[in-house]
Amino acid sequence: MKNIAVIGAGTMGNGIAHTFAQNGFKVQLIDISEGTLKNGLAIISKNLDRMVSKETISEEIKLQTLSNIITSSNLSESVKQADLVVEAATEDIDLKLNIFKQLDEACPSETILASNTSSISITKIGAATNRADKVIGMHFMNPVPIMKLVEVIRGSKTSDVITKSIMDLSKKLNKIPVEVNDAPGFVANRILMPMINESIDTLENGVAGVYEIDTVMKLGMAHPMGPLQLADLIGLDVCLSILNVMHDGFKNPKYAPCPLLINMVKSGKLGIKSGEGFYDYSKTKKAEIVSSQFLNRII
């Protein structure tokens, strides 16, 4: 696989494009919004500059990485030569099914279709296509250029050959792939989201404040970020969406989203991207500044 198409130029999409491009792949970064594409490229460039300043990569690698990325707002035309398409659109089932139907029609028959979904059934996504054996999950972690894990999710019809191919490809990206079976939330979010939800419930019940809850988890459990700070980084709307998928899928009340989380999303407090969540980010000019501070600590 040499030619990669990435659908969506938001936080995850531009990170995935960055990672493939930095490892020598030709990448088509696709989004319906020209503004999102422009912003996505700017974030990739800033992250590369940070790596150069820390001597993680050379200036030559930075320039080569940027030259490997082409942006486009035309999905059908941009995926015609793709060996692999990685969808990284909003965590919305109807949107993803529509994208995969379009990809199935536009891509060559041998193209592998992957989703970066963090909770939605790969089996259901595959059923929207005529190539369910070639549909797989590639769940990257945020920030993609730094985090090592790729959760590789097999749908019920995903073939052994395709699974092995994606596992091998992930290693070429200097990632550590872990194969899991299809279930709501997979492994990462099935464990993480109940912890975040319980942290929010702990706050709502007045057991402790935001700072105190996060400090206990950082100092007591050696987590690099507290669960409420992490929720802000992920996006509270995304957390809510994942919990809803798990609650609907398992029909188990333990996955029911905390009322405080629901109300915060309704009021537009989504975390870093909206400027306010459990923490106030309004003093920063752009949400990316806060993400950059996090990146600076772990690069």
Side-chain angles (χ1 to χ4, degrees):
M1 286 183 275
K2 293 294 183 184
N3 299 313
I4 312 298
V6 178
I7 310 296
T11 299
M12 296 305 294
N14 71 61
I16 293 167
H18 172 166
T19 300
F20 273 103
Q22 190 176 322
N23 285 279
F25 294 86
K26 299 297 182 182
V27 180
Q28 290 269 357
L29 181 57
I30 305 163
D31 199 292
I32 58 173
S33 167
E34 292 289 350
T36 303
L37 286 170
K38 183 178 180 180
N39 185 57
L41 270 183
I43 291 172
I44 292 171
S45 184
K46 288 178 183 178
N47 288 338
L48 288 167
D49 284 338
R50 187 179 302 108
M51 290 178 164
V52 171
S53 68
K54 290 180 173 288
E55 299 183 349
T56 306
I57 63 171
S58 66
E59 181 71 19
E60 183 181 358
I61 291 175
K62 171 201 164 181
L63 295 175
Q64 184 60 54
T65 299
L66 291 173
S67 72
N68 283 338
I69 302 172
I70 297 173
T71 61
S72 173
S73 57
N74 189 325
L75 184 148
S76 297
E77 288 298 320
S78 301
V79 299
K80 286 184 176 180
Q81 303 298 321
D83 300 309
L84 168 70
V85 180
V86 182
E87 170 272 318
T90 304
E91 193 74 351
D92 178 279
I93 181 61
D94 293 329
L95 174 63
K96 289 185 186 294
L97 293 181
N98 182 53
I99 289 172
F100 272 80
K101 286 176 183 177
Q102 293 181 58
L103 292 173
D104 190 43
E105 293 174 1
C107 293
S109 59
E110 65 273 14
T111 302
I112 299 171
L113 305 182
S115 177
N116 182 59
T117 178
S118 52
S119 62
I120 296 169
S121 169
I122 298 301
T123 300
K124 188 169 186 177
I125 292 173
T129 74
N130 293 308
R131 62 179 87 196
D133 61 317
K134 296 184 180 68
V135 176
I136 195 164
M138 287 187 81
H139 181 206
F140 291 85
M141 304 295 124
N142 183 29
V144 181
I146 306 304
M147 302 297 277
K148 287 293 186 182
L149 176 66
V150 178
E151 197 175 23
V152 178
I153 306 105
R154 317 182 48 135
S156 63
K157 294 187 177 180
T158 308
S159 73
D160 291 341
V161 171
I162 296 302
T163 302
K164 184 180 185 305
S165 177
I166 294 302
M167 294 287 285
D168 291 343
L169 175 66
S170 299
K171 293 173 185 176
K172 291 178 182 177
L173 298 175
N174 295 309
K175 303 297 185 187
I176 299 173
V178 176
E179 181 184 337
V180 304
N181 292 319
D182 199 8
F186 316 129
V187 171
N189 282 313
R190 184 170 179 169
I191 295 170
L192 174 63
M193 287 302 153
M195 182 189 74
I196 287 176
N197 201 41
E198 191 66 26
S199 302
I200 299 171
D201 190 63
T202 301
L203 174 67
E204 185 172 33
N205 282 295
V207 179
V210 172
Y211 172 80
E212 289 76 16
I213 291 169
D214 278 353
T215 299
V216 166
M217 297 305 291
K218 286 191 286 186
L219 300 185
M221 286 52 176
H223 291 192
M225 301 179 75
L228 300 177
Q229 185 184 11
L230 180 57
D232 277 356
L233 178 65
I234 294 169
L236 302 192
D237 53 336
V238 176
C239 293
L240 178 59
S241 176
I242 295 169
L243 283 164
N244 281 330
V245 167
M246 293 197 296
H247 188 223
D248 292 343
F250 290 117
K251 309 299 182 187
N252 189 323
K254 76 176 182 179
Y255 298 113
C258 176
L260 176 58
L261 173 62
I262 295 171
N263 290 333
M264 289 181 71
V265 173
K266 284 182 179 179
S267 65
K269 295 179 180 180
L270 308 181
I272 289 174
K273 60 186 170 185
S274 70
E276 184 179 4
F278 294 105
Y279 293 87
D280 184 0
Y281 307 93
S282 60
K283 293 181 181 179
T284 59
K285 292 182 179 179
K286 292 185 178 180
E288 289 84 0
I289 295 174
V290 181
S291 297
S292 296
Q293 291 171 350
F294 171 58
L295 283 170
N296 278 330
R297 291 200 302 271
I298 64 177
I299 286 179

